[in-house]
Amino acid sequence: MKEKQNGEVWVLAEQEGNLSNRASYELLAWGRKLADEKGSRLAAVIIRHDTEKPAASLIRFGADTVYAADSPKFAHFLPDAFANVLYALVKKSEPDILIAPATTFGRTVMPLVASLAKTGLTADCTELKIDKKTGLLLQTRPAIGGNVMATIITPNTKPQMATVRPNARKPLPEDSSRTGEIVFEKFPEDALESRTRFVKFKADEIGEPPLQEADVIVAGGKGLKSEKKLRNAPRTCGDTRRNSRGFKRSRRYGLGAVFETDRTFRKNREPAPVYRSRHIRSSPAHSRNVFFGDSRCNQY
Amino acid sequence: MRIAVLVKQVPATDKVKIDEKTGTMVRSSVESELNPLDLYAVEEAVRIKEHTDKAEITVISMGPQSASEAIKDALSMGCDRGILLSDRAFAGSDTWATAHIISAALKKFGHFDIILTGERATDGETGQVGPSVAAQLGIPVLTYVSKIISISGGCIVAERAVEDGKETIEASLPVVVSVVKEINEPRIPNLSGKLRAKNAEIPVIGAKELGLPPEETGLKGSPTRVVSVFYPSFSRKSTIISGKSAEKAAEMLFEFLKSRGIL
């Protein structure tokens, strides 16, 4: 791929049904930072069915351009077809940098595209910046259970690709005055061919936001002494006693909480309590996610 | 049916030392084991074999000579044969180069219907090699598989564990399948399995046998470079108050606590 000094920074939007897609907006915040450091444009790529509304929201959250690949065939994630389409776009426009969320979607499609493009891909980055001397993307990631951090570059091939761990950066504030260009990309039918077929989807029953999305996390443990106190703790921390210090504080900080149970609380070796979260409205203007769970939750 | 399982030998503890100059792991100081997440792929392969006529499982690993131990662990659980991809020229391979070498081996030993992998290795933690192998072989990939529902008529139907639920998806064979923990409960190898594994011959295949030129493997064949490695420092945010006199310091502390709403 030919060298371009000021190729675009691309972010791959998460493939999901709803519009308020935090992972994509976070990625735009990363992309905006990189594009500003490089002095280049930031583009988002969105592959799905019905792209119009989400494409517009990507511009409000920081993209200069949105490349939209829209087809009824993209209503569900088909790894090979999505990779072929993204690879076709990469070949055509030659972006300098391509980042995606380190979700089951991003972690699947990015290695496919990197292999097709014969370029490097760094998994699960927690820090990205542009090297001022070389203009290369410095990709920093934890390895070996977070015991070490490694900074990795892709010196000779383009695009420089990375997946980015969700929740490592906050989305930029939504700006409805932002304008940008939405390009609807056309594809030859064979690019949409897939050897996979979507059958069905069953949503998990716990329809509550995951721990990673908490604004504030407070942990409690054995000191709470009983499971009952533990169960009441999120409420105590939140909105019950109107004039208590706890309440005032929670209102000031928009407090969320995680309470960690200890195995000693559990009688008869019953299974770990299902990890739960509750919304607590600490003031009318604020609604924060409050969590409580157990140290054996897979979120830990 | 021909099944391949891709496994990796990893350091047995998570307290691994990294050589800060070269950015590579100091392997000599730690014991090694079969990547714990690969056990689920091995188990699933053995389960497929148990439910299929004429199935054969080949375990493939890339690594130093000692990685044959990891292959033997997989054989003891019920896999049929192992192949070790080992060559000085492979050292320093990143995920692209690793997938390139493994793809060459899969082509050479040929016609696998299902290629199983773990979700990721516990040392590198990228999870990229499985999908990358699929792309290099030009076959479909199913990642994060939590259940294989059926394999018949040249098709596999499987359930994928994604962020907000379970997605059922079908793919044509041959296919690469990476599995997650919840798919099964890996068995403990029995004595006869252990004995069989102990006596098994593991052929060692190098770059020459795979027909791979030096510029396609190892550090030379890797698009990425590690530029620095460092230990993260975890520190508490602290403020140290120093004043000329104790009274002054106490006053500053009082103001500080007041400003934070603590007093």
Side-chain angles (χ1 to χ4, degrees):
Chain A
M1 217 161 271
K2 70 171 178 262
E3 191 77 25
K4 267 195 181 176
Q5 272 309 308
N6 230 350
E8 288 179 331
V9 175
W10 280 17
V11 306
L12 176 63
E14 174 75 20
Q15 207 265 345
E16 239 180 273
N18 62 48
L19 300 181
S20 61
N21 194 333
R22 196 182 154 109
S24 303
Y25 301 150
E26 279 174 23
L27 213 59
L28 283 168
W30 278 110
R32 190 71 262 167
K33 168 182 127 93
L34 297 174
D36 291 347
E37 283 175 29
K38 261 166 63 67
S40 67
R41 289 174 65 82
L42 171 64
V45 180
I46 181 163
I47 309 171
R48 56 176 275 162
H49 179 42
D50 210 358
T51 51
E52 215 159 307
K53 268 192 187 166
S57 82
L58 293 171
I59 287 179
R60 292 198 300 277
F61 279 94
D64 299 314
T65 311
V66 176
Y67 300 105
D70 196 326
S71 161
K73 285 184 178 169
F74 298 147
H76 302 286
F77 177 41
L78 303 170
D80 50 354
F82 276 58
N84 286 339
V85 163
L86 182 55
Y87 177 52
L89 288 175
V90 164
K91 250 200 322 198
K92 190 173 108 181
S93 308
E94 301 184 1
D96 212 22
I97 290 170
L98 170 59
I99 57 175
T103 53
T104 57
F105 167 71
R107 285 159 165 273
T108 303
V109 78
M110 290 290 271
L112 297 176
V113 173
S115 284
L116 295 170
K118 293 193 180 171
T119 187
L121 168 62
T122 305
D124 229 3
C125 295
T126 52
E127 177 62 34
L128 295 171
K129 59 182 172 198
I130 304 291
D131 187 335
K132 286 203 181 86
K133 277 186 205 148
T134 59
L136 289 170
L137 178 64
L138 298 172
Q139 308 152 41
T140 301
R141 69 179 299 258
I144 319 170
N147 286 312
V148 293
M149 303 293 286
T151 300
I152 293 162
I153 55 168
T154 303
N156 303 316
T157 49
K158 292 279 161 17
Q160 305 162 76
M161 292 174 62
T163 58
V164 186
R165 194 172 280 194
N167 300 298
R169 198 176 187 88
K170 276 191 178 157
L172 300 167
E174 185 169 10
D175 178 357
S176 47
S177 68
R178 275 188 63 91
T179 54
E181 187 189 6
I182 300 175
V183 185
F184 290 93
E185 298 284 345
K186 290 268 175 285
F187 293 94
E189 269 302 299
D190 62 332
L192 311 183
E193 281 297 309
S194 176
R195 277 166 296 176
T196 51
R197 189 177 67 83
F198 172 81
V199 181
K200 65 174 181 188
F201 177 76
K202 189 171 172 282
D204 283 339
E205 276 170 21
I206 311 159
E208 289 159 326
L211 175 61
Q212 297 91 299
E213 288 175 17
D215 297 296
V216 179
I217 295 171
V218 179
K222 265 186 198 169
L224 287 162
K225 286 183 184 160
S226 78
E227 190 161 346
K228 195 180 161 206
K229 278 187 186 158
L230 177 87
R231 291 201 183 282
N232 286 332
R235 260 196 304 148
T236 317
C237 217
D239 62 350
T240 47
R241 290 173 298 162
R242 286 223 128 246
N243 294 312
S244 70
R245 191 176 284 177
F247 172 63
K248 282 180 184 159
R249 260 211 186 132
S250 75
R251 193 165 61 176
R252 191 169 318 141
Y253 298 119
L255 208 60
V258 165
F259 289 89
E260 191 179 312
T261 64
D262 187 273
R263 274 169 221 204
T264 50
F265 286 158
R266 250 172 280 123
K267 294 160 203 147
N268 312 328
R269 291 189 166 193
E270 57 185 285
V274 179
Y275 154 77
R276 287 192 284 175
S277 63
R278 290 179 193 167
H279 291 278
I280 287 190
R281 223 164 265 284
S282 43
S283 74
H286 286 76
S287 143
R288 294 291 160 143
N289 300 328
V290 173
F291 296 88
F292 87 102
D294 161 287
S295 55
R296 284 193 290 168
C297 285
N298 54 11
Q299 276 83 359
Y300 279 81
Chain B
M1 176 162 326
R2 284 168 59 80
I3 303 167
V5 189
L6 309 180
V7 301
K8 185 179 185 186
Q9 188 183 45
V10 298
T13 66
D14 57 357
K15 288 180 185 122
V16 180
K17 288 272 177 236
I18 296 281
D19 188 323
E20 291 196 37
K21 274 186 193 144
T22 62
T24 52
M25 252 182 295
V26 183
R27 286 186 187 270
S28 54
S29 60
V30 228
E31 270 187 51
S32 299
E33 64 177 7
L34 173 59
N35 172 32
L37 295 174
D38 290 346
L39 292 173
Y40 302 91
V42 174
E43 174 66 30
E44 200 58 25
V46 176
R47 287 187 190 194
I48 295 170
K49 184 186 161 186
E50 286 167 350
H51 293 101
T52 318
D53 292 336
K54 286 187 190 166
E56 191 205 39
I57 307 171
T58 306
V59 181
I60 299 175
S61 187
M62 184 181 111
Q65 292 287 339
S66 65
S68 62
E69 290 305 314
I71 295 177
K72 287 189 173 186
D73 285 347
L75 293 182
S76 70
M77 288 170 69
C79 299
D80 298 291
R81 60 176 189 140
I83 296 165
L84 176 62
L85 311 174
S86 192
D87 196 312
R88 279 188 179 277
F90 295 166
S93 294
D94 72 356
T95 58
W96 189 91
T98 304
H100 190 62
I101 294 161
I102 292 172
S103 303
L106 288 165
K107 268 187 231 164
K108 183 180 166 76
F109 295 99
H111 306 295
F112 291 103
D113 300 293
I114 298 178
I115 298 153
L116 285 158
T117 76
E119 185 195 331
R120 58 191 155 82
T122 53
D123 55 352
E125 293 191 309
T126 69
Q128 285 175 182
V129 172
S132 190
V133 163
Q136 298 199 23
L137 292 175
I139 62 176
V141 61
L142 301 181
T143 48
Y144 304 96
V145 168
S146 53
K147 189 178 178 184
I148 292 180
I149 297 167
S150 71
I151 303 168
S152 65
C155 269
I156 180 169
V157 181
E159 203 173 74
R160 297 177 69 230
V162 295
E163 280 76 8
D164 48 355
K166 296 281 192 300
E167 178 190 79
T168 307
I169 187 166
E170 184 187 277
S172 61
L173 303 181
V175 66
V176 173
V177 176
S178 81
V179 304
V180 293
K181 263 184 180 178
E182 58 181 291
I183 194 166
N184 58 40
E185 187 82 39
R187 69 193 63 194
I188 307 292
N190 58 25
L191 189 62
S192 70
K194 285 211 164 192
L195 286 172
R196 204 171 49 79
K198 196 181 163 205
N199 299 322
E201 285 279 319
I202 315 275
V204 180
I205 305 294
K208 222 179 191 175
E209 289 95 327
L210 295 176
L212 292 171
E215 64 272 16
E216 289 182 16
T217 64
L219 215 51
K220 272 188 192 166
S222 299
T224 60
R225 287 282 176 282
V226 177
V227 287
S228 70
V229 169
F230 54 98
Y231 292 93
S233 60
F234 298 105
S235 62
R236 288 166 196 273
K237 260 191 205 167
S238 59
T239 307
I240 294 172
I241 296 171
S242 55
K244 276 184 187 143
S245 66
E247 282 83 11
K248 198 114 193 191
E251 210 168 276
M252 283 162 79
L253 177 63
F254 177 73
E255 286 303 321
F256 174 78
L257 293 174
K258 225 169 110 180
S259 72
R260 294 296 173 97
I262 295 165
L263 290 176

